[in-house]
Amino acid sequence: MAAGWQQQHGTLQLRDQSVHWARLKKTADTEQLGSEGAPLPLILLHGAGVSGAVTWGGFLPHFTHYTDIVIPDLRGAGKTHFPGGDERAFTMDEVLDDLEALMDEQGIERFDVAGYSFGGLAAMLLKARLGDRINRLTLLEPALLERMDCEASVRIREHYTYAASAIREGRTAEEGITQFLDLIAPKRSRDPRVESVAIKRLGRRHEGFAHALDCVTQAIKHTDREALLARQDCVLSVVGGRSPRAMREYHHYLGEAYPAWRYVELSETDHSLPFQKPRQLVELIERR
C-alpha cells in the first residue's frame, strides 16, 4: 500500500465469511509518542462496495501520529467473501460481528476508528456496541446522518433500494451506479474521466455493492438515531462543501448540540472526499 510501513495481510475465517484484513505498523519515535505515550491503533472502515486498500491507500503516506493501522475489507467489498465466493445479502449486525471478531483476533482491546459512508454508520454502531473500547471516532459523510428529518431520510433510502436493484438487475450495473451517484453526490464533477473512475471503482464487485446499499437501508430503518447519537463520544464528522446543504446543516447542528462532537466542512469536495483530499483528511483525523 505505502512505503515506510511494515505490512501484514491475512484472512479471518468465520463461519459464513472470510474477512480479509491488512495491518500496517511503523516504529514510533519519541517525538511521535509525546506525553500521552503510544497512540492507539486506528481502524479504517471503507464505504459500500469499495475495498479498504482502494479507499485508504492514499491516506497512508500522510500519517505521522498513528503507527498501527488496521484496514479490513467489509462484506461485499475487496477480498472479503462468503464461502464459495458468491454474493449474498447481509446485515449490519453481521458486519459488526466480523469487526468485533477481527479486533479480538488481532488482540486489540482499545482503538480509534475512522469510517466513511457505510463504514461511518458501522463505526457508530460499533461504538454503541463496544463502548469504551473505542476512543476517538472520525466520520466521513456517514450514512444515517444525511439530514435533520430522520423520517425523510428513511423515505429517501427507498431510492437507494431502487438503485441497488438496478445495479443487480438492470441492463448494465453502470445504470444503477449512476443512480446512486446522483443521489449521494448530486453536485459532483460531471467530467467524463472523473465519472468513469467512480463508476469503475464501484463496479468492481457490483453485486456486493448493491447488497451493501441494502444493508445500510435496513440498518437505518431499524436504528433509533437519537439513542445511537447519545452513545457517541469524542466525534469528528467531516462533510464535503459540495455535498447537499441538508447534510451540512445537520452536521453543523450536531457540532453545536453535542459537546463531544466537532464538525468540519471540507471545501471543494463531495461524497468522494476520501479520494479527493486524503492529506487534509489525515490532518483532521490526527489533530489533537
Side-chain angles (χ1 to χ4, degrees):
M1 289 184 183
W5 295 86
Q6 295 179 338
Q7 304 180 36
Q8 294 179 303
H9 302 265
T11 301
L12 175 61
Q13 296 290 346
L14 301 175
R15 179 182 57 81
D16 73 334
Q17 200 76 185
S18 297
V19 180
H20 178 78
W21 56 267
R23 188 166 185 177
L24 301 99
K25 294 184 180 183
K26 59 182 178 179
T27 303
D29 58 28
T30 54
E31 183 177 342
Q32 288 172 315
L33 292 177
S35 60
E36 296 181 0
L40 293 173
L42 173 65
I43 315 305
L44 297 175
L45 304 181
H46 61 76
V50 181
S51 74
V54 171
T55 303
W56 305 111
F59 284 55
L60 296 175
H62 306 296
F63 282 110
T64 60
H65 173 73
Y66 287 104
T67 60
D68 184 0
I69 295 176
V70 179
I71 305 176
D73 283 341
L74 305 179
R75 294 192 179 212
K79 298 178 181 178
T80 291
H81 287 280
F82 282 94
D86 57 327
E87 303 285 14
R88 307 180 207 166
F90 53 86
T91 69
M92 188 62 77
D93 279 341
E94 290 172 328
V95 173
L96 302 182
D97 290 343
D98 295 346
L99 291 170
E100 186 173 4
L102 179 60
M103 294 303 97
D104 292 343
E105 190 268 343
Q106 290 291 309
I108 298 175
E109 179 57 32
R110 295 190 72 236
F111 50 96
D112 295 340
V113 182
Y116 165 52
S117 193
F118 168 43
L121 175 56
M124 288 189 289
L125 292 167
L126 195 65
K127 170 65 177 178
R129 177 188 285 203
L130 299 183
D132 289 342
R133 284 189 68 179
I134 295 178
N135 181 37
R136 291 161 49 91
L137 202 60
T138 302
L139 307 174
L140 310 181
E141 297 217 350
L144 182 66
L145 306 184
E146 292 153 339
R147 61 187 61 239
M148 181 80 73
D149 187 335
C150 191
E151 292 184 2
S153 294
V154 172
R155 290 195 301 271
I156 289 169
R157 287 309 304 188
E158 292 303 319
H159 296 287
Y160 289 86
T161 299
Y162 302 147
S165 295
I167 292 168
R168 281 190 298 263
E169 303 163 11
R171 290 179 299 172
T172 67
E174 181 175 339
E175 294 178 3
I177 292 171
T178 301
Q179 289 181 34
F180 165 78
L181 292 172
D182 289 343
L183 287 165
I184 202 71
K187 294 184 179 181
R188 70 190 184 280
S189 169
R190 302 292 175 145
D191 179 274
R193 184 187 62 83
V194 174
E195 192 84 343
S196 176
V197 168
I199 291 171
K200 183 178 179 180
R201 193 162 57 214
L202 292 167
R204 286 175 180 165
R205 278 185 63 184
H206 65 277
E207 290 185 34
F209 172 46
H211 287 308
L213 292 180
D214 286 339
C215 169
V216 171
T217 296
Q218 290 305 311
I220 288 175
K221 287 181 177 179
H222 297 97
T223 296
D224 182 332
R225 189 170 73 175
E226 295 308 311
L228 181 63
L229 288 170
R231 301 190 67 179
Q232 308 305 303
D233 188 35
C234 199
V235 178
L236 165 68
S237 67
V238 185
V239 173
R242 291 202 301 263
S243 291
R245 175 177 293 183
M247 183 187 301
R248 291 183 279 121
E249 290 179 346
Y250 183 43
H251 282 258
H252 177 78
Y253 161 78
L254 291 171
E256 295 289 325
Y258 291 85
W261 193 293
R262 184 165 68 97
Y263 166 56
V264 173
E265 182 177 310
L266 194 60
S267 64
E268 300 304 315
T269 61
D270 53 35
H271 191 69
S272 293
L273 70 173
F275 307 101
Q276 295 166 339
K277 292 194 175 181
R279 180 181 61 80
Q280 292 92 327
L281 286 170
V282 168
E283 290 174 357
L284 290 170
I285 291 169
E286 292 199 318
R287 186 176 297 169
R288 314 315 291 167

